[in-house]
Amino acid sequence: MKLKIAILGTRGIPNYYGGFEHISEYVSAGLVKKGHSVTVYNSHNHPYKADKWNGVNIVHCYDPEYLIGTAGQFAYDFNCLMDARKRKFDVVLLMGYTSSSVWGHLYPPNSVIITNMDGLEWKRSKYSKPVQKFLKYAEKLAVKHSQYYISDSRVIRSYLKDKYEVDSRYIPYGADLFSEQERELFDKSEVLKEDYFLLMARMEPENNIETILEGFNSSSSKKSFMVLGDTSNRFGKFITHKFKNDDRIQFKGANFDNSVVRALQNNSYLYFHGHSVGGTNPSLLEAMASEALIAAHNNPFNKAVLNSDAFYFDNATEVRHLVENVQRKDTEREMVKNNLHKIQYQFNWEVVINDYEDFILECYREQYEKTIKA
C-alpha cells in the first residue's frame, strides 16, 4: 500500500535547526524510497528553496516568525494546515504540538492524524509560568485532536498513558555508525585527538550548560572545552559573558555540518550532554554513534538511553570531579562499545524508518476499516 503522506510542524528540511527537522529528513526520504509520496512543509525563510529534496516534495509556507517572533510560529502552522487541507493527504504526521494543536479543529478532516508528542515542553525552564501553563493546554489539545500518537522516549510513553490514558507507539530517533571514511577524513584535520571536552546544545537553561561550564571553570584541567551552539540569544550572550575570562572555554557557534560535528564528538576526551527535558535526544545518539565517551545529566530521559554506559552528574561539583578524574581505560572503552551496540540494534535509522512506515500503515488501515463500518 502506497500512501500520500505530509509532515508538518518543522521549520523544514534539510535540517538547519534541530531534532524534528533532523528526523524529518531521514523519515521523509526513507518513506519515499519505500514508494510513498511524501510532502514536507518548509518555512519560506528556509535556506533550501527548491520544491524537491531527495524525492521528497517541499511546500514552502509563509512564516512571519522573523517579523513578529514566537506568535509567527502559530501563523506558520496555520498556513501549513490550510494548505494541507486542500491536498487530500492520506496521513498527516505532526512533529510536535507547541504551536499547531490550537488549530486542532482545522486538522485535515479526511486525513489520518498522527502526532509525535515531543518531550514535555511545559517543563522547560526557559518558559515563564504562563507559557508553561499554555503548553500544558497545547499538549491536552494535541491528545484531543489527534487519532494516533508517537513517543520518542519510553518515559514520554509512560507519561501519556498515566496522564491521558492513551497508547502511543514508541519510536526513537536514529543515528548512523561512525564510518571508516569519516575516520580517515578526520585524521587529516588539525584538531588533536582527545585534547578537549565537548558540549553541543541549544543555549537554553534546561540544557545545564552553565552547570557544566561552572564545573569545568573551577577545575584544574589543562584541556580546552569546546562549546557548539548558537550563542546569539539572551542566554547564549549571558553564558559567553560569564565565562569570557576562561581561555580554555571556546564558543564555536552552531555547526550543521554533520561530518564535522561527528568527528569532534569522536575525538573528544569526554562529551557532556546536559539536556534535562525531552525524549530521546538526537545529539546524544549522534555522540553515541560517533564513539564518544559520555557524561550526561542525571535524569530519566538520559538514563533510559544510556543505562550504565555513561558518567552522570547533578551539579557543578560533580562535573568538576569528572573533568579531573575520568580516565580512558578498559571500563570506559566498554561503555563506548555498549553504546555503539545500542545504535546498531536499537537506534538505527533503518529500524526507525521501518517503524514509522509500519505504524503509519497500521493507523491508516485501522481508520479505513472504521470508515467502512460507519
Side-chain angles (χ1 to χ4, degrees):
M1 185 186 295
K2 305 307 177 190
L3 299 179
K4 190 177 177 184
I5 302 164
I7 299 178
L8 286 76
T10 81
R11 284 172 168 82
I13 60 172
N15 176 27
Y16 286 91
Y17 188 73
F20 275 144
E21 289 76 14
H22 187 65
I23 195 169
S24 295
E25 271 189 351
Y26 280 88
V27 170
S28 61
L31 291 173
V32 165
K33 284 180 183 174
K34 289 173 177 290
H36 301 284
S37 168
V38 184
T39 299
V40 173
Y41 281 78
N42 277 27
S43 164
H44 82 281
N45 281 317
H46 195 284
Y48 188 79
K49 300 301 182 187
D51 294 330
K52 283 268 190 183
W53 179 82
N54 287 358
V56 179
N57 302 311
I58 304 293
V59 174
H60 306 267
C61 279
Y62 179 65
D63 175 6
E65 186 181 0
Y66 75 107
L67 286 175
I68 58 176
T70 303
Q73 294 176 18
F74 294 86
Y76 168 59
D77 280 339
F78 174 83
N79 291 337
C80 293
L81 285 166
M82 288 298 96
D83 185 89
R85 284 170 66 92
K86 303 171 191 171
R87 293 181 188 256
K88 296 182 172 60
F89 293 110
D90 297 313
V91 175
V92 168
L93 174 60
L94 290 154
M95 304 303 272
Y97 57 80
T98 304
S99 51
S100 61
S101 65
V102 294
W103 309 118
H105 60 291
L106 296 173
Y107 288 173
N110 299 315
S111 303
V112 177
I113 307 296
I114 305 172
T115 298
N116 185 316
M117 290 299 291
D118 210 349
L120 308 185
E121 290 299 292
W122 49 269
K123 275 194 167 186
R124 295 190 186 276
S125 57
K126 69 174 180 177
Y127 296 127
S128 65
K129 292 295 180 188
V131 172
Q132 288 177 336
K133 190 175 179 181
F134 165 77
L135 289 171
K136 269 196 175 183
Y137 175 63
E139 178 184 87
K140 189 176 178 180
L141 289 177
V143 171
K144 176 183 176 181
H145 291 296
S146 305
Q147 293 158 317
Y148 302 95
Y149 315 91
I150 291 170
S151 301
D152 67 27
S153 160
R154 289 192 173 93
V155 179
I156 302 293
R157 187 173 187 272
S158 298
Y159 165 78
L160 292 172
K161 183 70 174 172
D162 294 343
K163 175 80 174 175
Y164 299 104
E165 297 182 345
V166 297
D167 287 318
S168 59
R169 181 64 57 89
Y170 165 63
I171 310 177
Y173 286 90
D176 294 315
L177 293 171
F178 198 70
S179 68
E180 289 308 312
Q181 292 94 321
E182 287 176 304
R183 211 180 300 280
E184 287 171 18
L185 178 72
F186 189 80
D187 286 341
K188 296 171 185 172
S189 81
E190 298 173 358
V191 180
L192 295 173
K193 176 107 175 145
E194 296 178 359
D195 197 43
Y196 56 91
F197 299 98
L198 181 66
L199 176 162
M200 183 174 81
R202 287 190 206 159
M203 296 295 121
E204 295 171 356
E206 67 267 11
N207 291 338
N208 287 289
I209 298 157
E210 187 176 7
T211 298
I212 294 166
L213 294 182
E214 272 182 359
F216 176 78
N217 179 248
S218 65
S219 77
S220 58
S221 176
K222 297 289 192 291
K223 290 180 169 56
S224 60
F225 200 119
M226 224 177 280
V227 181
L228 298 184
D230 182 2
T231 57
S232 64
N233 66 359
R234 187 166 66 175
F235 186 74
K237 288 172 183 173
F238 162 74
I239 284 291
T240 50
H241 179 75
K242 179 168 182 174
F243 297 105
K244 65 180 180 181
N245 294 326
D246 191 334
D247 294 336
R248 299 171 300 170
I249 298 175
Q250 303 167 10
F251 292 96
K252 296 291 190 179
N255 193 322
F256 291 100
D257 186 333
N258 213 33
S259 61
V260 172
V261 170
R262 283 162 64 85
L264 289 170
Q265 289 171 330
N266 178 266
N267 284 270
S268 62
Y269 188 82
L270 186 61
Y271 178 85
F272 280 90
H273 181 76
H275 296 63
S276 61
V277 178
T280 306
N281 185 270
S283 63
L284 176 58
L285 297 183
E286 290 288 349
M288 292 162 67
S290 301
E291 302 171 18
L293 181 63
I294 296 165
H297 181 261
N298 186 17
N299 65 67
F301 299 105
N302 293 337
K303 286 197 158 182
V305 175
L306 293 160
N307 307 121
S308 58
D309 298 310
F311 298 100
Y312 291 98
F313 63 88
D314 283 299
N315 53 52
T317 303
E318 291 174 358
V319 170
R320 176 181 175 172
H321 178 79
L322 293 175
V323 165
E324 293 181 340
N325 293 286
V326 165
Q327 303 293 311
R328 293 186 64 101
K329 295 183 179 175
D330 288 347
T331 302
E332 289 75 19
R333 279 192 281 272
E334 194 65 25
M335 291 160 78
V336 170
K337 187 178 173 184
N338 290 343
N339 284 332
L340 269 180
H341 188 270
K342 289 173 201 152
I343 297 298
Q344 198 165 1
Y345 296 103
Q346 194 179 346
F347 304 108
N348 175 290
W349 276 124
E350 189 177 346
V351 172
V352 170
I353 292 163
N354 286 341
D355 285 350
Y356 263 89
E357 185 191 35
D358 289 347
F359 188 55
I360 287 169
L361 289 170
E362 186 182 313
C363 296
Y364 181 77
R365 287 191 187 106
E366 188 174 300
Q367 283 301 115
Y368 182 72
E369 286 170 11
K370 283 181 183 177
T371 304
I372 290 173
K373 287 175 184 176

